[in-house]
Amino acid sequence: MKNRARGALYGLAIGDALGMPTQLLSRREIAERWGGQLHDFEPAPPGHPVAAGLPAGSITDDTEQAVLLGRLLVKGHGTIDPRELAEALISWERDMAARGSLDLLGPSTKRAVAAVLAGVPPQEAGAHGDTNGAAMRITPVGIAVPPELPTLVDQAVAASYATHNTGLALAGAAAVAAAVSAGVAGAGIAEATALAVRAARIGAERGHWVAGADVAARIEWAAGLAAGRDRVEAAELIYTLVGTSLATQESVPAAFAVLAAVPDDPWQACLLAASLGGDCDTIAAMAGAIAGACHGLRAFPARAVAVIDAHGLDLAALAGDLCALRVVYQPG
């Protein structure tokens, strides 16, 4: 279980780092610079809108916010105080800005955090958060909570509602958390995806209603669309039909579509996701977390793990601490 938990955190960080130089670029721009698909970590190209100057293997907000959430979860013995999360996110953004980074809080998170710190009740602060920020950082909840519904969805909601309290965003976060949790418990990609669909249906009933396509239905459709395709065809279908924006109903199904196309090789799944274009660092982070949970840390090349270890995040220890929380949620 610990090997799979480590796989989830490292997979998230590996996918994120692979997608760092390609995020916000079009698929055509990626193809012109790197060919049809990335083959390794790459530095950000000159003039990149948010990552210019970052060396190959650099992580982004996806990894850093997931680690932040995981440490708060461990500190709170399985619970997260919404105001403490808001304050931690603001402190993180200030630190990033001081380092000269342009990769800061996303639109939903930034708006909600400001509202919480201004005294707005957390349940209302995230009432308009419908983007993928909750899903991108939810992996620690999937590691810490067993794959039992609706308890798992309850915990995903509790970790998300301060910034993303809409049925759309909560469905996406619940799906990713459920897939990671299932993988840590021993499931393969197909079983993890099936649980993700069930969790998304429950999550969609939580929080405030906003207009948007059904996340559970789109996960099923996207996975079916990509399954059995070669990687080039799968990438084109995901990019043109599923969508790769920061909208939850695009990026979360896109991650599951990647896994359906490349179910047996987490490293290649991350490379495919990072080559899509759009919000591909987040898509690769989610796909990497789920693939890592289902296959374990040893499924990634040792050199890729070493690249992530160089950031000093101590992901192995965090994975162990999160695994230890599973007993908190056991029945009885």
Side-chain angles (χ1 to χ4, degrees), residues 295-320:
H295 291 282
L297 180 60
R298 287 184 288 273
F300 292 101
R303 60 183 180 79
V305 173
V307 166
I308 301 306
D309 278 337
H311 292 290
L313 299 172
D314 203 4
L315 295 184
L318 179 58

Side-chain angles (χ1 to χ4, degrees), residues 74-89:
V74 171
K75 179 183 175 184
H77 305 288
T79 62
I80 294 176
D81 177 77
R83 184 172 181 86
E84 188 174 8
L85 174 61
E87 290 173 345
L89 288 169

Side-chain angles (χ1 to χ4, degrees), residues 31-164:
E32 289 174 351
R33 179 172 288 273
W34 292 288
Q37 181 178 309
L38 295 178
H39 299 287
D40 208 337
F41 298 105
E42 295 283 352
H48 191 284
V50 296
L54 291 182
S58 297
I59 56 172
T60 79
D61 59 327
D62 299 73
T63 302
E64 296 203 9
Q65 288 190 34
V67 170
L68 181 154
L69 184 71
R71 288 173 177 162
L72 286 177
L73 202 59
V74 171
K75 179 183 175 184
H77 305 288
T79 62
I80 294 176
D81 177 77
R83 184 172 181 86
E84 188 174 8
L85 174 61
E87 290 173 345
L89 288 169
I90 283 291
S91 177
W92 170 83
E93 184 178 53
R94 286 174 181 154
D95 179 59
M96 290 289 282
R99 286 187 266 163
S101 174
L102 298 176
D103 206 358
L104 305 176
L105 293 176
S108 294
T109 299
K110 193 173 188 70
R111 182 172 57 238
V113 163
V116 169
L117 296 181
V120 175
Q123 293 85 345
E124 297 302 321
H128 302 290
D130 58 0
T131 48
N132 60 16
M136 83 174 193
R137 60 177 178 250
I138 201 65
T139 288
V141 172
I143 297 171
V145 185
E148 302 293 334
L149 305 181
T151 300
L152 176 60
V153 177
D154 291 342
Q155 297 309 314
V157 170
S160 304
Y161 73 83
T163 58
H164 294 79

Side-chain angles (χ1 to χ4, degrees), residues 3-13 15 135-136 138-140 142-143 172-197 219 251-260 262-263 265-267 269-270 282-297 299-300:
N3 179 53
R4 286 171 174 252
R6 290 173 182 170
L9 289 182
Y10 276 93
L12 186 157
M136 83 174 193
I138 201 65
T139 288
I143 297 171
V176 175
V180 169
S181 180
V184 171
I189 294 296
E191 186 181 350
T193 300
L195 188 69
V197 170
I219 291 172
S251 53
V252 172
F256 283 96
V258 166
L259 296 171
V262 191
D265 190 330
W267 171 247
C270 287
T282 295
I283 295 169
M286 293 187 292
I290 297 165
C294 289
H295 291 282
L297 180 60
F300 292 101

